[in-house]
């Protein structure tokens, strides 16, 4: 995330940079492109201010887990991101 993302999400929306898909299994088997699963973890790049009585709890730089079909895929400056509601985030992962 060397470049600054110039998008500010509204309300309780969060922009997440998905982690790259796994290339190999733990046993060393190479996974072909057609069998790769969509990653369910990523890093928060930007977060909105939250709703009126519910401020956003995640902040940029947090590693998070989210639902398999959560969010909408967007491309900005050649990078792929997901924009989702904060409620779609299941957990913050410690580093």
């Amino acid at each position: 995330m060397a470049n600054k993302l110039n998008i500010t999400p509204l309300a309780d929306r969060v922009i997440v940079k998905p982690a790259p898909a796994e290339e190999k299994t733990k046993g060393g088997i190479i996974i072909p492109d057609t069998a790769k699963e969509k990653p369910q973890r990523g890093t928060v790049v930007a977060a909105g201010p939250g709703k009126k009585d519910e401020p956003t709890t995640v902040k940029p730089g947090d590693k998070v887990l989210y639902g398999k079909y959560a969010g909408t895929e967007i491309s900005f400056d050649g990078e792929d991101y997901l924009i989702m509601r904060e409620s779609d985030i299941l957990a913050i992962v410690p580093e």
Side-chain angles (χ1 to χ4, degrees):
M1 272 160 274
N3 59 348
K4 179 93 169 123
L5 186 65
N6 292 325
I7 299 176
T8 303
L10 300 175
D12 66 337
R13 300 273 197 296
V14 177
I15 298 177
V16 176
K17 174 77 172 151
E22 294 292 324
E23 300 287 327
K24 289 183 181 181
T25 64
K26 290 182 181 180
I29 298 172
I30 297 173
I31 302 171
D33 288 339
T34 56
K36 288 182 186 171
E37 290 206 16
K38 183 177 169 185
Q40 294 176 297
R41 64 185 322 155
T43 304
V44 175
V45 177
K51 293 182 180 176
K52 183 177 179 183
D53 296 330
E54 300 174 27
T56 307
T57 55
V58 296
K59 59 189 179 308
D62 285 348
K63 305 270 190 237
V64 294
L65 296 177
Y66 49 86
K68 189 169 194 163
Y69 302 106
T72 302
E73 295 177 1
I74 60 171
S75 287
F76 187 77
D77 287 341
E79 296 284 331
D80 293 329
Y81 300 96
L82 288 171
I83 187 164
M84 63 183 71
R85 292 191 178 275
E86 185 182 30
S87 60
D88 291 337
I89 295 174
L90 305 174
I92 297 173
V93 181
E95 304 219 12

